[in-house]
Amino acid sequence: MSAARSSILRIVDVPPGAADRLACRLPYRASGPFLLASSVIAAAYGSSFILPEYMEILGLEHEVAGFIISSGMVATIVCCCLAGRLAQRIGIMPTMAAASVVMALAMAAFAAAVLDARLAYAGGMLVGVGWSVLFILSPLQIIRHLRPTARIQHLTILSGAQMAGLGLAAPLGHFLTEYTGSMAITYALFAIACVIATICIGVAGHAMLRIPSVPMPHIEVTLVKTIALLRHATAAPIMMIAVAACIFSGLSTYQSAYAAARHLNPDLFFVVFTVTSVALRFSVAHMLDRVPVERLALTLIIATGASLTLFIVNPGNELLYILAAAIFATGYGLSYSTLNGIAVNLAGEHGLSVPVASQIFTLAYFLGSFGFPVLGGKLIYEFGINAMLLTLLGATVLNGVLAATLRPKARIGSL
């Protein structure tokens, strides 16, 4: 979720003198609806975390939810590559509005799965389309209107809004399901919320028309550039974010299964994770440039491993559950921006394309997020929840090994 921060700081080259006419902040009439829409769409994406429960209600196995979520992986990759090209044709905000409509259709497909479970697979595909486009384009709309010195603050706010929606989706989904008595109705309400988000994007877009902006350059991801990136040191942080995304998606998607096995409330995990992540992103972002990034990355990986160990050994203690969630939020919550900073800095040091490095980094994140639930579901079905957690712990060890190979000269603050 932190792609809104460090991955795009060098994508836009402001022409000489143009920075003087850019705004220091976005007016509330533009930023308010934009942030609200971002939170709502993130919550719609986060509703995939309660899909395993929904599939169980429909009489299906947990692994089916994994297949549904992973069905959007191909669509995500394709749309990540095409989002910028489409936005240049019709505009960033119209493209985001269209993606919001796609998310509404995805939620409607999930709701209709109570009639035909096959529609859930269509929902998974549509989630991949809508979320990938919104995730990549929303930070670009922010930075095109702001002076370089003002971007980090506003992008951090955007990231926090997205994380708030993402983390609160499961507790909200459970509350709505308990209130309405139907998870299908809950997804229908998410669909309505996405329609409202589309309107908010339109309102924000209209307000932003009055704000000075800079033109967006054409950015194209090609096979040649991708291979060049992966042949150099940038391969390590790109691989690391893919692994980190696997850990996050596995623990989040099957948190209900874990909590049920330990007689805990899964909403507790999502609330603690969200509050901790959002608080950290707002409080320590300005301090990250003071720490060597390779040391910071390794520290965050160790924290992630410690949290997974607590999840494994916890027999069902609520306080231990809260502690594990908070430590995981610390380790994972700051890892995206850290690894992203390493990737783009290394690309610059090797004379490679920084924008393409950022986009490939995001693609790797989506690969892990959408790809792992299939494996996670199979592990739970065959061997139980602890087998999946041990696999995630092994993945954390792999990231630790990769982190030990990092020797970047630059710091995050030099982006």
Side-chain angles (χ1 to χ4, degrees):
M1 299 294 298
S2 301
R5 181 171 175 255
S6 59
S7 65
I8 41 77
L9 293 180
R10 295 176 74 177
I11 287 181
V12 176
D13 294 321
V14 182
D20 294 336
R21 62 184 178 86
L22 295 177
C24 293
R25 65 178 182 85
L26 293 176
Y28 293 120
R29 67 178 182 275
S31 62
F34 190 83
L35 293 174
L36 177 60
S38 299
S39 294
V40 169
I41 297 301
Y45 168 68
S47 70
S48 60
F49 298 152
I50 62 174
L51 267 180
E53 298 172 68
Y54 189 27
M55 294 301 101
E56 187 175 1
I57 292 173
L58 297 180
L60 301 173
E61 300 291 342
H62 279 298
E63 64 177 346
V64 174
F67 280 112
I68 291 171
I69 296 170
S70 295
S71 68
M73 184 172 60
V74 175
T76 296
I77 296 171
V78 173
C79 289
C80 279
C81 296
L82 298 180
R85 189 172 302 177
L86 178 61
Q88 285 189 352
R89 289 180 177 272
I90 68 173
I92 293 177
M93 293 298 269
T95 304
M96 290 180 59
S100 185
V101 171
V102 170
M103 288 295 286
L105 294 175
M107 298 299 103
F110 286 148
V114 70
L115 304 175
D116 188 342
R118 291 174 296 183
L119 289 173
Y121 288 93
M125 290 286 291
L126 292 172
V127 165
V129 174
W131 177 243
S132 62
V133 172
L134 287 156
F135 189 72
I136 287 178
L137 295 183
S138 56
L140 298 183
Q141 181 62 22
I142 291 289
I143 66 170
R144 69 183 307 205
H145 293 290
L146 295 174
R147 296 184 180 185
T149 53
R151 289 172 184 166
I152 291 180
Q153 177 185 357
H154 286 76
L155 292 174
T156 302
I157 294 173
L158 172 63
S159 177
Q162 291 173 330
M163 180 54 72
L166 181 67
L168 295 177
L172 177 61
H174 290 144
F175 170 78
L176 292 174
T177 299
E178 183 177 351
Y179 183 79
T180 63
S182 170
M183 197 163 282
I185 295 177
T186 295
Y187 276 108
L189 292 174
F190 272 115
I192 295 172
C194 288
V195 173
I196 296 174
T198 305
I199 297 173
C200 289
I201 290 174
V203 172
H206 180 73
M208 289 182 183
L209 288 176
R210 306 174 184 177
I211 308 172
S213 64
V214 293
M216 305 292 287
H218 178 68
I219 305 166
E220 184 179 3
V221 177
T222 65
L223 181 60
V224 173
K225 292 179 180 178
T226 301
I227 293 175
L229 283 168
L230 297 180
R231 289 178 60 186
H232 290 81
T234 47
I238 289 173
M239 291 175 60
M240 290 170 68
I241 193 56
V243 173
C246 288
I247 296 169
F248 173 68
S249 65
L251 196 60
S252 300
T253 301
Y254 298 108
Q255 189 58 220
S256 296
Y258 171 84
R262 301 299 202 274
H263 305 289
L264 295 166
N265 183 359
D267 290 345
L268 195 59
F269 166 84
F270 289 105
V271 170
V272 172
F273 175 84
T274 302
V275 171
T276 305
S277 296
V278 173
L280 283 173
R281 293 186 183 199
F282 280 95
S283 63
V284 306
H286 65 286
M287 297 187 294
L288 293 179
D289 62 339
R290 303 175 186 176
V291 183
V293 288
E294 69 275 14
R295 185 183 303 172
L296 176 61
L298 187 57
T299 301
L300 296 176
I301 291 168
I302 291 173
T304 301
S307 68
L308 289 171
T309 301
L310 290 177
F311 279 117
I312 294 171
V313 302
N314 186 6
N317 184 281
E318 192 171 82
L319 290 177
L320 199 59
Y321 190 42
I322 293 174
L323 179 62
I327 295 176
F328 180 75
T330 302
Y332 175 80
L334 297 176
S335 63
Y336 194 108
S337 58
T338 301
L339 295 176
N340 205 351
I342 293 173
V344 296
N345 278 349
L346 287 174
E349 290 172 10
H350 289 84
L352 302 171
S353 171
V354 171
V356 172
S358 175
Q359 293 177 82
I360 298 300
F361 183 88
T362 303
L363 286 172
Y365 169 78
F366 279 126
L367 275 172
S369 295
F370 285 93
F372 184 80
V374 170
L375 176 59
K378 283 184 173 294
L379 287 171
I380 294 174
Y381 180 75
E382 296 290 343
F383 307 107
I385 189 70
N386 278 350
M388 187 198 71
L389 292 174
L390 286 170
T391 300
L392 296 181
L393 185 59
T396 306
V397 173
L398 172 61
N399 260 2
V401 174
L402 291 171
T405 68
L406 296 174
R407 292 292 184 272
K409 299 176 182 178
R411 296 188 176 192
I412 291 177
S414 65
L415 288 179

